[in-house]
Amino acid sequence: MTKKYIFPVLTLIILFSSCDSDPQMDRTIFIPDETEPELPAYTEWGYNSFGAIYDNRSYFVVSSVIAPCKILYKEGHLHFSLNGIMKGSYLVESEKITLDFIFPSEKIEQYNDLLMLNDKQINLTSTDCVVKIIRNENERTLNVIDGILHFKRAQHLYIDDRSNRVILSGIFALRFLEYEFPTIISGGRFDVGINNNVFYAY
Amino acid sequence: MKKVILFLSIFSPIVAFAQVERTYEYERLRIGVEAGIEFLDGTINKPAAVRENHSYYYDSYYAKDYYYGGYIDDYQTITRYYFGVKPEYSLNHRFTIASGVRFMYNHNNLISDREYFLWKVEETALTTNYARVKNVEQNNLYFGVPVEMKFFMSKKDLRVRPYVKAGASFNFLLSSSTTPYFVNGRMEQKYASDILNQLEKVDFLSTSIFASLGLKIGRMNHPFGTIEFQLPLLLFGQNTPSSFVKSSTVNEGVALQISFYLPVGEQKLSYKYKSRR
């Protein structure tokens, strides 16, 4: 019975001892974009921020109280999930919203393997890609007309020569039909740090 | 008898206040020693390889959703100390000129308002390495040549005598030493030179122009002192006075200076004045 738990316990010990947590890296830093100050500037420092313009009116942006990004690898697909709020209109003030990109991926067992996403472009209209949006706890699969998710850079971050996390930075934009009318998410950018706290594979 | 009393009562006060003409003279040349402190304004010269942080300075403004970047207050004050030797020569009773040598020192400390900086020290296509840096200290030593002109508001050498002064100081960098301190001491040998290479170099020449208001205390024919307040203090140079503080082309500051003078030389200035007998 005890032997049954030795391997998972050892795995957890190795996983958690192989990377350091750092309070500075866990925080969200919002550097305003010069032309669109409601959005974070595009950065590659692991500031745990993201943002996009929703339908040319509102802003889908990171929030200080919601983990901005979670990644799940499941059954040959990677779920890249951005969690934030909608801002910019009294109609949608501080509404929680999640944008979930699901696309096929090679097997990923630990967060270090996310480096394979470096300079990878995902065509969101391909048949094996799915984009979901969760608003007011209602999940909807988007009927994407065109769109792209581009991981411009994946970097393995070390702090004082010890592995800390993988930083994923990139851009996204998509157009989809919402109640049969076209809707656009434009100017999307993200800069997030991924470690075992927000990554899971099975 | 009455006439005598009347005569004395009228003329005795006049006799008592009768004045004689005297000559006051003092040496044209004097040797001075000076010591001063300067407070210079500037903005932080952010090293590009330092990661922004969630700064304490921004907490109160953006407590809810927006965490603006920053790791140190933008506005920085630099304090410079100096001492020197400065002969002064009186052109006439109102104007003096002075020049000499001075040694100026300033200590700078780049320190995060959090526990440490995350400083990018290595980068490849797929890896990035940050080092945790507690602070970076810099000591700069200058050799300076001040050139000054004083104007005394009164011709007479009063015991306390106000003056205005205009001058310039040309300061040449003698030495500059910079030391980064790491959270993990083992990083020091590996990355200290990387951090030093990323910092901007301090200007070799740091020039300041100033106007000041001062008080001379004591007679000029004896050892005497001065105390003065300099405002504005205009500083020229982009990376003066530190690698960490960026000064504008004209940087306002204030300074306080005290000096002590000892009259020397044969040449004298003199003026006549009237004194009671």
Side-chain angles (χ1 to χ4, degrees):
Chain A
M1 187 67 183
T2 50
K3 282 181 182 174
K4 184 181 168 186
Y5 294 105
I6 287 174
F7 182 72
V9 167
L10 279 175
T11 306
L12 280 173
I13 289 170
I14 290 165
L15 277 174
F16 282 98
S17 61
S18 64
C19 67
D20 285 342
S21 181
D22 187 288
Q24 288 197 23
M25 290 301 302
D26 291 335
R27 296 188 184 106
T28 289
I29 309 296
F30 191 101
I31 310 291
D33 187 275
E34 282 186 9
T35 52
E36 287 280 356
E38 293 288 332
L39 296 181
Y42 175 78
T43 53
E44 294 179 348
W45 288 86
Y47 285 146
N48 294 313
S49 67
F50 71 83
I53 303 169
Y54 192 94
D55 216 14
N56 295 327
R57 292 291 182 276
S58 309
Y59 296 95
F60 167 45
V61 288
V62 65
S63 163
S64 61
V65 293
I66 304 169
C69 182
K70 294 188 177 181
I71 293 186
L72 173 71
Y73 177 80
K74 182 183 174 186
E75 296 166 355
H77 281 76
L78 200 66
H79 296 240
F80 178 69
S81 172
L82 296 173
N83 312 294
I85 55 171
M86 196 69 91
K87 297 187 81 166
S89 160
Y90 68 93
L91 292 173
V92 291
E93 192 176 358
S94 296
E95 179 191 7
K96 281 187 187 176
I97 187 165
T98 295
L99 196 59
D100 197 8
F101 300 95
I102 304 163
F103 51 91
S105 167
E106 294 172 40
K107 191 170 186 185
I108 292 179
E109 292 179 327
Q110 51 187 341
Y111 72 85
N112 295 359
D113 298 335
L114 291 168
L115 290 175
M116 70 173 66
L117 293 174
N118 186 52
D119 198 23
K120 186 162 188 174
Q121 296 192 36
I122 313 293
N123 181 357
L124 299 175
T125 55
S126 61
T127 52
D128 45 5
C129 284
V130 175
V131 182
K132 291 180 178 176
I133 195 163
I134 303 166
R135 297 177 74 162
N136 299 325
E137 298 178 357
N138 294 324
E139 182 181 298
R140 232 159 20 94
T141 300
L142 302 182
N143 184 3
V144 178
I145 305 167
D146 59 68
I148 195 164
L149 171 65
H150 183 189
F151 293 92
K152 291 176 87 169
R153 192 169 180 208
Q155 46 184 322
H156 192 172
L157 177 69
Y158 294 83
I159 295 181
D160 287 350
D161 290 345
R162 289 175 66 91
S163 175
N164 186 277
R165 66 195 63 205
V166 165
I167 295 173
L168 297 176
S169 311
I171 55 174
F172 62 94
L174 63 150
R175 206 152 56 95
F176 57 96
L177 293 177
E178 190 168 42
Y179 308 112
E180 299 187 352
F181 287 97
T183 303
I184 186 168
I185 293 177
S186 59
R189 72 284 308 268
F190 57 89
D191 179 22
V192 290
I194 307 296
N195 60 11
N196 284 324
N197 296 337
V198 289
F199 172 78
Y200 190 61
Y202 65 92
Chain B
M1 186 61 187
K2 280 183 181 176
K3 284 182 181 175
V4 173
I5 292 169
L6 182 65
F7 178 83
L8 287 175
S9 64
I10 292 170
F11 288 99
S12 62
I14 294 171
V15 170
F17 286 104
Q19 293 179 322
V20 292
E21 196 171 69
R22 291 174 186 269
T23 300
Y24 176 79
E25 63 178 18
Y26 58 94
E27 288 78 1
R28 277 181 181 269
L29 184 65
R30 58 203 74 94
I31 292 289
V33 289
E34 61 172 11
I37 183 168
E38 295 180 347
F39 303 99
L40 308 167
D41 286 337
T43 53
I44 188 72
N45 197 5
K46 288 185 175 183
V50 173
R51 185 182 186 270
E52 296 283 348
N53 187 20
H54 180 198
S55 168
Y56 285 116
Y57 290 102
Y58 297 91
D59 278 3
S60 56
Y61 295 104
Y62 308 105
K64 197 181 170 194
D65 290 324
Y66 281 10
Y67 286 170
Y68 279 66
Y71 47 78
I72 194 167
D73 193 6
D74 263 351
Y75 296 98
Q76 298 283 303
T77 300
I78 284 287
T79 308
R80 299 203 291 192
Y81 308 90
Y82 63 85
F83 72 93
V85 179
K86 190 171 60 182
E88 187 183 66
Y89 184 80
S90 290
L91 296 173
N92 53 40
H93 295 300
R94 289 185 186 273
F95 283 98
T96 70
I97 53 170
S99 184
V101 293
R102 68 168 55 149
F103 290 93
M104 181 178 278
Y105 167 80
N106 75 302
H107 170 84
N108 309 293
N109 196 6
L110 183 71
I111 187 163
S112 171
D113 66 341
R114 294 282 175 176
E115 295 77 17
Y116 48 82
F117 299 114
L118 285 172
W119 203 303
K120 192 187 284 184
V121 286
E122 269 185 350
E123 190 173 28
T124 66
L126 291 177
T127 62
T128 300
N129 204 338
Y130 294 162
R132 289 178 296 166
V133 176
K134 278 194 287 195
N135 65 314
V136 184
E137 291 187 10
Q138 186 176 71
N139 296 303
N140 297 322
L141 182 66
Y142 293 89
F143 170 77
V145 178
V147 180
E148 299 172 351
M149 179 175 262
K150 262 184 208 167
F151 172 75
F152 286 100
M153 287 149 193
S154 68
K155 181 182 173 185
K156 210 171 168 184
D157 185 26
L158 304 170
R159 197 174 295 277
V160 177
R161 195 177 175 204
Y163 64 85
V164 290
K165 186 168 91 176
S169 177
F170 305 94
N171 304 300
F172 304 91
L173 187 68
L174 281 181
S175 70
S176 177
S177 65
T178 311
T179 312
Y181 294 93
F182 293 79
V183 173
N184 182 343
R186 285 180 299 166
M187 299 298 115
E188 192 161 339
Q189 282 191 326
K190 201 169 176 185
Y191 298 122
S193 60
D194 293 306
I195 285 175
L196 295 180
N197 289 336
Q198 290 173 14
L199 293 173
E200 295 203 25
K201 299 285 178 279
V202 183
D203 286 341
F204 173 68
L205 174 63
S206 163
T207 305
S208 58
I209 294 177
F210 58 87
S212 61
L213 189 65
L215 279 180
K216 176 191 73 71
I217 300 162
R219 300 278 192 197
M220 289 171 84
N221 56 0
H222 290 90
F224 66 93
T226 62
I227 181 165
E228 66 185 53
F229 180 67
Q230 297 175 347
L231 179 76
L233 182 74
L234 307 177
L235 191 74
F236 296 87
Q238 277 296 311
N239 293 318
T240 293
S242 142
S243 295
F244 318 136
V245 180
K246 186 183 286 178
S247 60
S248 53
T249 306
V250 176
N251 185 337
E252 293 179 10
V254 295
L256 186 72
Q257 185 191 85
I258 55 170
S259 305
F260 180 77
Y261 292 96
L262 189 68
V264 292
E266 299 284 311
Q267 290 185 22
K268 296 201 173 182
L269 272 176
S270 65
Y271 62 84
K272 296 191 183 309
Y273 68 101
K274 287 181 178 172
S275 167
R276 275 182 281 175
R277 190 179 293 277

